[in-house]
Amino acid sequence: MQGGKRDLILDAAEKVFREKGFHLATLDEIASKAGVAKGTIYLYFKDKLDLFLSTVERRFRELIDELEGMKGRFDDPVEAISGMTDVLFKFARSAERLVRHMTPEKLRKPPPGKLGVKAHMEMVREKVFKPIEEVIGILSGCVSEGQARGGFRADIDPKLAAVALISMIRGVVFLKIGIPELGIDTAESPKQVKALFLNGIMEG
Amino acid sequence: MQGGKRDLILDAAEKVFREKGFHLATLDEIASKAGVAKGTIYLYFKDKLDLFLSTVERRFRELIDELEGMKGRFDDPVEAISGMTDVLFKFARSAERLVRHMTPEKLRKPPPGKLGVKAHMEMVREKVFKPIEEVIGILSGCVSEGQARGGFRADIDPKLAAVALISMIRGVVFLKIGIPELGIDTAESPKQVKALFLNGIMEG
Amino acid sequence: MQGGKRDLILDAAEKVFREKGFHLATLDEIASKAGVAKGTIYLYFKDKLDLFLSTVERRFRELIDELEGMKGRFDDPVEAISGMTDVLFKFARSAERLVRHMTPEKLRKPPPGKLGVKAHMEMVREKVFKPIEEVIGILSGCVSEGQARGGFRADIDPKLAAVALISMIRGVVFLKIGIPELGIDTAESPKQVKALFLNGIMEG
Amino acid sequence: MQGGKRDLILDAAEKVFREKGFHLATLDEIASKAGVAKGTIYLYFKDKLDLFLSTVERRFRELIDELEGMKGRFDDPVEAISGMTDVLFKFARSAERLVRHMTPEKLRKPPPGKLGVKAHMEMVREKVFKPIEEVIGILSGCVSEGQARGGFRADIDPKLAAVALISMIRGVVFLKIGIPELGIDTAESPKQVKALFLNGIMEG
DNA sequence: GATGAATGAGGCTTCATTCAT
DNA sequence: TATGAATGAAGCCTCATTCAT
């Protein structure tokens, strides 16, 4: 069981990062929750940031797999987008509090004393940028197809539309989590977002 | 020159928080950038967190003032929303990296050893929740009016629409900042977002 | 060499606390005197206060052991008390400057931000109250026995007598230390205190 | 009203020092409790230690006045000592928590950066040592007189007896305050201490 | 591979003291 | 005299990281 321990650590890390955020999470808590010694973490991950980003990456991979699976299932771009929206809502609900902590500082600056801006950016590109681009690619692909087939407005940039859809979903979910007293209707949100977005990109 | 020093500190704090994030920002740097002694900060702010939230609050106030001003200027909800979108883009571009650091942990849990969950939540409500609600209120008000006057779809929840619009804008701007290599077109974004959103909420 | 480091720290801490008092003692000095890093202290002690009280507790344990040993050695309560007085003088001379810093504030209030009045009092009871009660118990036991056997005045509360004896000794020693210019005769003190106390509790 | 403000400050300081101890007491709290500005304190006292010792000195003066008054009132040394014991109990009950904080460090080392070991010791001698010597002098005077008149044991050093009496009283009161759960009988204590002490110094 | 004791840099915060008004 | 805003030194404590076993 090679990777077994690695996943154990990732599971624990994800849970702690989600609840405390990156900086308030401690490797002590992660290690104890994972049932391994603190030092063991360093056998599988370069440092705390690497652990965090690996956590995020894993979630992105799952998301991408699910979205990819969806792509083939529907012929109609509208239905594909509708299905993907549901997937994105599910993702946001379980991962937004984790993903949220990917701030520009963490992505752009290597942890001090680690010598290697180059290597750092390389890792970030692999674990974060590429997956995000893939997700955007899948969604914008649907939009493009809708445009090609007709029915979708041609003056909308598919990539921007994709970003807009993802952002709406994340925003709605995050506000629900962060300020519950706003009274956002969890059950209705996906339907509303779909209506808004689809109506937005479709002609007349 | 009474509150002068308070603003000096807020200015410096905002700059540092924006660049380093909450946890990596140090009061040392803020103090020296503000040209005051470290202790002076504590004459005006209870806490590092208080300082941070005050920084955010100030920005929110400015945003609200600008949005309020806009509300009266346009008779047509469409034009009002269009104008507000521009304001929100401007806000996001200059404040998103700051606002981003308001994570649930910071909003929901009082800093350890500060005795006072109640007082903490009271402050958060005042400095964060209320302004956010105001912004959403202004925007959803425009949507409601559009619905009342006719022309806007009646099946869209105005509050959710507001959240969606804000989130789109924040998301587009943040991705531009966080992953410039995505190649989001800064100049075109507002126009595209407006098209998407307005087409989304208006009847066929 | 397990607890070795703990004792090393306790030794250094006791020395520094004795010389500087609780508040003027710094963990920096204690750590460097113990030859360990500052962080290491926190592997063995929860707190500065915990470290201090542990220091005191250790001394109390030694004192109690010695007093217990004495209890069996003498049959005559008078001789037992005489012997214990010598032990108490020795204890006071080497520990009074340490013990002195157990002020009510430290015993009654948990350090701010440590969440746990209950836990704090529990620790204090274990490390401080119980040992003190034991010491008083041993001494008052001797007095009680003297009363039972006859020869000791029956109208004296044994527990109060014990407290009085301990206090006399501590007071004499402390004044000698604190105000040497008073010219208290170190060599004569034990003899005098014994005479005073024994004559005080014995009949006619 | 010259000294009016000085006494106001002393009153506030005493209260705060008694409750928090020397180091945990803050000049901020003292000033606000006294109704004066923080800076004002420095018009009347050299520094925090000076303020503290002045507080103690004032109490000593009152004690000495009361003891002096007693000296003349009784002809019989036994009765004089008995009366003084009552006075000392009253003093201990109201001032022990204050006086307790006069630790050797504070008395022997000038506050750092104050340049002046000589001046410091001079002040300490005036405010602390001399009063203590006076108190001891009054009490030991009674003992000496008892010895001169006959009835008191001649082998007891009057000064040590005085110290012993004071210490007993302080010890009993302090333990009552510090560890109430010991169950020391407040009402009975003075009677018991008198019995113990007087029996101790009087001839068989 | 796995451990966890040890490290030590660095952060937030407090507070006695000063000084311009 | 009186004020109180400003200072800045100094302390406790945390925690990512290392390394000998």
Side-chain angles (χ1 to χ4, degrees):
Chain A
M1 182 74 66
Q2 277 300 55
K5 204 155 271 189
R6 193 187 133 99
D7 275 333
L8 231 53
I9 295 170
L10 278 177
D11 289 342
E14 184 175 322
K15 216 169 299 176
V16 178
F17 282 135
R18 193 162 48 209
E19 256 156 59
K20 308 264 177 99
F22 179 78
H23 290 282
L24 262 35
T26 68
L27 291 181
D28 257 309
E29 187 176 355
I30 292 171
S32 97
K33 200 158 247 142
V36 302
K38 222 182 335 174
T40 306
I41 295 177
Y42 286 84
L43 297 176
Y44 295 94
F45 304 94
K46 195 163 56 62
D47 55 17
K48 191 187 183 184
L49 183 55
D50 182 31
L51 174 59
F52 172 68
L53 293 180
S54 300
T55 265
V56 172
E57 181 193 24
R58 194 177 57 160
R59 289 314 217 98
F60 277 155
R61 289 285 159 231
E62 288 170 19
L63 171 63
I64 290 167
D65 285 348
E66 232 178 321
L67 290 177
E68 290 281 9
M70 214 126 230
K71 209 164 52 176
R73 201 172 317 161
F74 298 104
D75 186 55
D76 181 11
V78 170
E79 285 186 34
I81 288 174
S82 175
M84 289 180 183
T85 298
D86 289 328
V87 169
L88 286 168
F89 258 100
K90 197 183 68 178
F91 175 76
R93 285 193 181 113
S94 81
E96 178 59 22
R97 290 195 60 178
L98 180 72
V99 169
R100 202 75 185 176
H101 298 282
M102 280 192 325
T103 49
E105 312 85 55
K106 283 181 207 85
L107 301 181
R108 294 290 165 189
K109 298 188 200 164
K114 290 291 168 188
L115 255 313
V117 203
K118 212 58 165 283
H120 173 74
M121 287 314 300
E122 195 42 57
M123 184 190 75
V124 168
R125 190 170 335 277
E126 196 56 38
K127 293 191 189 246
V128 180
F129 292 174
K130 258 182 56 183
I132 289 180
E133 283 177 15
E134 273 182 75
V135 172
I136 293 175
I138 294 171
L139 286 166
S140 66
C142 291
V143 175
S144 295
E145 196 176 320
Q147 291 175 331
R149 293 201 193 175
F152 279 26
R153 298 175 53 168
D155 61 334
I156 295 288
D157 172 19
K159 191 151 64 179
L160 185 130
V163 170
L165 176 58
I166 295 168
S167 301
M168 270 191 267
I169 294 167
R170 291 185 59 192
V172 169
V173 169
F174 182 71
L175 227 47
K176 174 70 192 170
I177 294 169
I179 316 186
E181 33 274 89
L182 267 183
I184 292 177
D185 186 335
T186 305
E188 279 298 300
S189 300
K191 202 183 309 179
Q192 294 265 333
V193 166
K194 283 179 201 175
L196 197 56
F197 180 72
L198 288 171
N199 201 44
I201 56 171
M202 294 179 73
E203 284 169 345
Chain B
M1 197 206 295
Q2 276 301 52
K5 202 150 278 189
R6 194 187 131 98
D7 276 332
L8 228 55
I9 294 169
L10 277 177
D11 290 342
E14 184 174 323
K15 217 169 298 176
V16 179
F17 282 135
R18 195 162 47 209
E19 259 156 57
K20 308 264 176 99
F22 179 78
H23 290 281
L24 264 33
T26 71
L27 290 178
D28 257 312
E29 185 176 357
I30 291 171
S32 94
K33 197 159 249 142
V36 302
K38 221 182 329 174
T40 305
I41 295 177
Y42 288 83
L43 295 178
Y44 297 93
F45 304 94
K46 194 166 57 62
D47 242 0
K48 188 186 184 185
L49 183 55
D50 182 31
L51 174 59
F52 171 68
L53 293 180
S54 300
T55 267
V56 172
E57 181 192 25
R58 193 177 58 163
R59 289 314 216 99
F60 276 154
R61 291 283 157 233
E62 290 170 17
L63 170 63
I64 290 166
D65 284 348
E66 232 178 320
L67 290 177
E68 290 280 9
M70 214 126 230
K71 209 163 52 173
R73 200 172 316 160
F74 298 105
D75 186 56
D76 182 11
V78 170
E79 286 188 32
I81 288 173
S82 174
M84 289 180 184
T85 299
D86 290 328
V87 170
L88 287 168
F89 259 100
K90 197 182 68 179
F91 175 76
R93 285 195 181 109
S94 80
E96 179 58 23
R97 289 195 59 179
L98 180 72
V99 169
R100 202 77 184 173
H101 298 282
M102 279 191 326
T103 50
E105 311 84 55
K106 283 180 209 81
L107 299 182
R108 295 288 166 190
K109 301 192 201 163
K114 290 292 169 189
L115 257 311
V117 203
K118 210 65 166 275
H120 173 73
M121 286 314 300
E122 196 42 57
M123 185 188 77
V124 169
R125 191 169 334 277
E126 196 56 38
K127 292 194 187 241
V128 180
F129 291 174
K130 257 184 57 184
I132 290 180
E133 283 177 15
E134 272 182 76
V135 172
I136 293 176
I138 295 171
L139 287 166
S140 66
C142 292
V143 175
S144 295
E145 197 175 321
Q147 291 175 329
R149 292 199 193 179
F152 279 26
R153 297 174 53 167
D155 61 335
I156 295 287
D157 173 20
K159 193 152 63 178
L160 186 133
V163 171
L165 176 57
I166 296 168
S167 301
M168 274 191 264
I169 295 168
R170 291 184 59 191
V172 169
V173 169
F174 182 71
L175 227 48
K176 174 71 193 169
I177 295 168
I179 316 186
E181 33 276 89
L182 265 183
I184 292 176
D185 186 334
T186 304
E188 278 298 302
S189 300
K191 202 183 308 175
Q192 293 266 334
V193 165
K194 283 180 202 174
L196 197 55
F197 180 74
L198 288 170
N199 200 45
I201 56 171
M202 293 179 74
E203 284 169 345
Chain C
M1 196 205 296
Q2 276 301 54
K5 203 150 276 187
R6 196 188 131 99
D7 276 332
L8 227 56
I9 295 169
L10 278 177
D11 289 342
E14 184 175 323
K15 216 170 300 177
V16 179
F17 282 135
R18 194 163 47 209
E19 257 156 59
K20 308 263 176 99
F22 179 78
H23 290 281
L24 263 33
T26 71
L27 290 178
D28 259 311
E29 186 176 356
I30 291 170
S32 95
K33 197 159 250 144
V36 302
K38 219 182 331 173
T40 305
I41 294 177
Y42 288 85
L43 295 178
Y44 297 94
F45 304 94
K46 194 166 55 64
D47 240 2
K48 188 185 184 186
L49 183 56
D50 182 31
L51 174 59
F52 171 67
L53 293 180
S54 300
T55 267
V56 172
E57 181 193 24
R58 194 178 55 161
R59 288 315 216 99
F60 276 154
R61 290 282 159 233
E62 289 171 17
L63 171 62
I64 289 167
D65 285 348
E66 231 177 322
L67 290 178
E68 290 280 9
M70 213 125 231
K71 211 164 49 174
R73 201 171 317 160
F74 297 106
D75 186 57
D76 182 11
V78 170
E79 285 187 32
I81 288 174
S82 174
M84 290 181 184
T85 299
D86 290 328
V87 169
L88 287 168
F89 258 100
K90 197 182 69 179
F91 175 76
R93 286 194 181 109
S94 81
E96 179 58 22
R97 288 196 60 180
L98 180 72
V99 169
R100 203 78 186 172
H101 298 283
M102 280 190 326
T103 50
E105 311 85 56
K106 283 181 209 83
L107 299 182
R108 295 288 166 190
K109 302 190 199 162
K114 290 293 167 187
L115 257 313
V117 203
K118 210 63 164 277
H120 173 72
M121 287 313 301
E122 196 42 58
M123 186 188 77
V124 168
R125 191 169 335 275
E126 195 55 37
K127 293 194 186 238
V128 180
F129 291 174
K130 257 183 56 184
I132 289 181
E133 283 176 16
E134 272 181 77
V135 172
I136 292 176
I138 295 172
L139 287 166
S140 66
C142 292
V143 175
S144 295
E145 196 175 321
Q147 291 175 331
R149 291 200 196 179
F152 279 27
R153 296 175 53 168
D155 62 333
I156 295 287
D157 173 20
K159 191 150 65 178
L160 186 132
V163 170
L165 175 57
I166 296 168
S167 301
M168 273 192 266
I169 295 168
R170 292 184 59 191
V172 168
V173 168
F174 182 71
L175 227 48
K176 173 69 193 171
I177 294 169
I179 316 186
E181 32 277 88
L182 265 183
I184 292 177
D185 186 334
T186 305
E188 278 299 302
S189 299
K191 201 182 309 177
Q192 293 266 332
V193 167
K194 282 180 204 175
L196 197 54
F197 180 73
L198 287 171
N199 201 44
I201 56 170
M202 293 178 74
E203 284 170 344
Chain D
M1 183 72 67
Q2 279 298 59
K5 203 154 273 189
R6 194 188 130 98
D7 275 333
L8 232 52
I9 295 170
L10 278 177
D11 289 342
E14 183 176 322
K15 217 170 299 178
V16 178
F17 282 134
R18 193 161 48 207
E19 257 156 60
K20 309 262 177 100
F22 179 78
H23 290 283
L24 263 35
T26 68
L27 291 181
D28 257 308
E29 187 177 354
I30 292 171
S32 97
K33 199 158 246 141
V36 303
K38 222 183 334 175
T40 306
I41 294 177
Y42 285 84
L43 297 176
Y44 296 93
F45 304 94
K46 196 163 56 61
D47 55 18
K48 192 187 183 184
L49 183 56
D50 182 31
L51 174 58
F52 172 68
L53 293 180
S54 300
T55 265
V56 172
E57 180 193 24
R58 194 177 56 160
R59 289 313 218 99
F60 277 154
R61 289 284 159 231
E62 289 170 17
L63 172 63
I64 290 167
D65 285 348
E66 233 179 320
L67 291 177
E68 291 280 11
M70 215 127 230
K71 209 164 51 173
R73 202 173 315 160
F74 297 105
D75 186 56
D76 182 11
V78 170
E79 286 186 32
I81 289 174
S82 175
M84 289 180 183
T85 298
D86 290 328
V87 169
L88 287 168
F89 259 100
K90 197 182 67 178
F91 175 76
R93 287 194 179 110
S94 81
E96 178 58 23
R97 290 194 59 178
L98 180 72
V99 169
R100 203 76 185 174
H101 298 283
M102 280 192 325
T103 50
E105 312 84 56
K106 283 179 208 86
L107 300 181
R108 295 289 165 188
K109 300 187 197 163
K114 289 292 169 189
L115 255 313
V117 203
K118 211 60 166 280
H120 173 74
M121 287 314 299
E122 195 43 56
M123 184 190 75
V124 168
R125 192 169 334 277
E126 196 56 38
K127 292 192 190 246
V128 180
F129 292 174
K130 258 183 55 184
I132 289 180
E133 283 177 14
E134 272 182 76
V135 173
I136 293 175
I138 294 171
L139 286 166
S140 66
C142 291
V143 175
S144 296
E145 197 176 320
Q147 290 174 331
R149 292 201 194 176
F152 279 25
R153 297 175 53 168
D155 61 334
I156 295 287
D157 173 18
K159 192 152 63 178
L160 185 132
V163 170
L165 176 58
I166 295 167
S167 301
M168 271 192 267
I169 295 168
R170 291 184 60 192
V172 169
V173 169
F174 182 71
L175 227 48
K176 174 69 193 169
I177 294 169
I179 316 186
E181 33 275 89
L182 265 184
I184 292 177
D185 187 335
T186 305
E188 279 298 301
S189 300
K191 202 183 309 178
Q192 293 266 332
V193 166
K194 283 179 203 175
L196 198 55
F197 180 73
L198 288 171
N199 201 44
I201 56 170
M202 293 179 74
E203 283 169 346

